[in-house]
Amino acid sequence: MTVGVLEKNPVFWFYGSASASYGIMSNAVSFLLLIYANQVLGVPGYLASWALAIAMLWDASSDLLLGHWSDKTNSRLGRRHPFMYAAFILLPLTFYGLFNPFIELNDGNTFIYILVMAILIRTGTTLFEVPSTALLPDLEMDYDRRNKWLALRYAFQWYGGNGLHTINFLFWVGAYGVTVSTGYEIYGTVGALVIATVILVSALGTQNVAAALPGPKESFRFSKISYEVKQIFESVKNRNFAALFFYGLAIGVASGLGMALYLYNTTYFFAFSGKQIAVTGIGVLVSPLIAYWAAPFMGQRMGKKQAAIAAILMNISLYPIPYILVLMGYWPELGSWLSLYMYTGFLVAVVICDIIGAVLLDSMMADVVEDSEITTTRRSEGLFYAARGFAGKAISAGGIVFAGTIVSLVGLDGIKGVDQVTMEIRQDLASFFLPLYCGLFLLGLWVVSTYRIRREDHSANLATLEERRLH
């Protein structure tokens, strides 16, 4: 299969489209849930952030076990699909219930309800996203073509999450207001239906090829859980995996912080209305399309590691500029359309760089699978992608707590309108947020620079494994 005909392969599209469900979930939990719990359900920012953080810690821990379990599952459906079908039941139901509560909420039970629903949503996401992503190393062996599979997957993740986010701020939450429950209820209903459709279509579309893949050499045994844990640690000792894992740790706080504060920043720092926020979402729709072509091109020309580092450096160079210009008095009038167009331009560029970096880093993780198999004789795709997620999620929980704490510290808990936000509040918000966000990304880039698998190394690993199979 050549690069030019990948788009003619239906499995390419079924695999890529799967991430639309993750994009919707991620947008909801990362961008909407803190402000929904705080300003609609009345939970203080610091307390709401703890619910989200605890759920994320649970998610991070369960990822490792489930990833390893899916690596060693023997089923007529394949190694991954039993988990994906379980997600079809759990994830849409709990996503709906988060924004359309199944019980009457009051001061005594609201925190617990948010916590339980967030944990269940995270569990449903793990059941689908980890096994689905882990299909890649079996579906595609080529060093460069893996970039394109993942570029498509990230494009669907952004179009799913950002697409529904844009509609939401045009017609639902944006129209009714971020402090009114009606918009969230509609969003929860539509989101649940779309997630269910995406999971089912992607799982059925990849079913035949997954069932035809070789099964694991040994099955997962709960009765020998200590042995399973030992194998997990054997696999994750790979030095190239460690570079990507610790990168995830370094940027986790930054990502959790940035996502949780996004709506606070756009609504209160830049004074955009709901419909204006939707316009930024429309603008960002061009980013995945550009990144879909740019990520494979840069990876092939520069090598995956160098291209990823270049993209992420550009990202964190552009990200703080609008905030700095506002505080220095060089930005157009807050809330104006000129302000919106300038902000959207920066955002489009940042998202392009963000997607390119994420695609290449995930592709680098796919190459770790064969590198590890040389030593362990096991294919641990599910474990590696789960552990990558573990790094980001476990530490991102800290970022969410920081975000909720910042909301309370700068005085946004009681804010109900942008007219109540002073420049002093904006100054405090940026001063807490930007240095931590950019500094952690720079630390992460230093860590990922220790990754060592090049195109030539990957080819050598494939040749070694093929020789083993022949003997």
Side-chain angles (χ1 to χ4, degrees), residues 32-33 73 84 136 140 249 253 263 329 338 341 345 388 434:
L32 279 178
L33 189 49
T73 293
M84 294 162 68
L136 177 65
E140 180 59 77
L249 289 179
V253 172
L263 283 181
L338 178 58
Y341 296 143
R388 174 217 56 178
L434 292 177

Side-chain angles (χ1 to χ4, degrees), residues 267-269 412 415 417-426:
T267 301
Y268 296 129
F269 190 96
L412 286 174
I415 296 293
V418 70
D419 57 310
Q420 297 177 274
V421 181
T422 64
M423 286 305 295
E424 182 181 359
I425 290 177
R426 291 187 175 95

Side-chain angles (χ1 to χ4, degrees), residues 132-377:
S132 175
T133 306
L135 288 168
L136 177 65
D138 279 327
L139 295 175
E140 180 59 77
M141 295 289 183
D142 185 80
Y143 177 86
D144 291 304
R145 283 200 301 264
R146 282 177 170 175
N147 296 339
K148 198 161 190 179
W149 286 77
L150 286 165
L152 181 69
R153 194 171 179 96
Y154 271 92
F156 270 100
Q157 178 179 321
W158 274 90
Y159 283 129
N162 188 65
L164 197 62
H165 166 83
T166 300
I167 295 171
N168 186 29
F169 273 86
L170 278 173
F171 301 110
W172 307 328
V173 168
Y176 288 96
V178 295
T179 63
V180 180
S181 65
T182 307
Y184 295 95
E185 292 166 2
I186 300 171
Y187 172 78
T189 302
V190 176
L193 292 172
V194 175
I195 288 171
T197 302
V198 167
I199 291 176
L200 187 62
V201 169
S202 177
L204 292 176
T206 54
Q207 176 62 82
N208 289 340
V209 67
L213 293 170
K217 295 179 180 178
E218 58 178 338
S219 298
F220 188 92
R221 291 171 290 180
F222 277 104
S223 60
K224 295 189 176 182
I225 192 65
S226 61
Y227 172 73
E228 301 296 344
V229 172
K230 179 183 176 183
Q231 285 196 338
I232 290 175
F233 280 102
E234 285 176 356
S235 295
V236 300
K237 285 195 300 185
N238 182 281
R239 60 175 291 184
N240 294 299
F241 164 78
L244 299 176
F245 178 81
F246 286 107
Y247 169 83
L249 289 179
I251 69 163
V253 172
S255 298
L257 185 63
M259 289 188 292
L261 287 177
Y262 172 75
L263 283 181
Y264 285 95
N265 287 333
T266 51
T267 301
Y268 296 129
F269 190 96
F270 291 99
F272 295 141
S273 67
K275 289 191 176 181
Q276 287 178 315
I277 294 173
V279 171
T280 69
I282 294 171
V284 167
L285 291 176
V286 73
S287 300
L289 184 62
I290 295 172
Y292 173 73
W293 297 106
F297 176 81
M298 290 177 62
Q300 191 165 27
R301 289 297 181 92
M302 303 172 64
K304 295 179 186 179
K305 184 178 81 171
Q306 288 76 11
I309 289 174
I312 296 167
L313 274 175
M314 181 61 70
N315 180 339
I316 59 175
S317 298
L318 292 172
Y319 189 93
I321 292 176
Y323 295 86
I324 294 170
L325 292 178
V326 167
L327 295 178
M328 293 179 66
Y330 295 122
W331 190 259
E333 180 185 355
L334 294 177
S336 68
W337 285 97
L338 178 58
S339 169
L340 179 75
Y341 296 143
M342 289 181 60
Y343 178 82
T344 301
F346 275 100
L347 188 61
V348 167
V350 164
V351 171
I352 290 170
C353 296
D354 182 59
I355 296 174
I356 291 171
V359 165
L360 295 169
L361 289 166
D362 268 8
S363 188
M364 290 158 64
M365 184 66 81
D367 298 336
V368 173
V369 171
E370 289 83 14
D371 189 59
S372 172
E373 190 179 359
I374 298 290
T375 304
T376 66
T377 72

Side-chain angles (χ1 to χ4, degrees), residues 113-135:
Y113 185 84
I114 293 171
L115 175 62
V116 170
M117 297 308 294
I119 287 174
L120 291 176
I121 286 173
R122 290 284 185 182
T123 302
T125 302
T126 295
L127 284 169
F128 182 68
E129 182 65 14
V130 169
S132 175
T133 306
L135 288 168

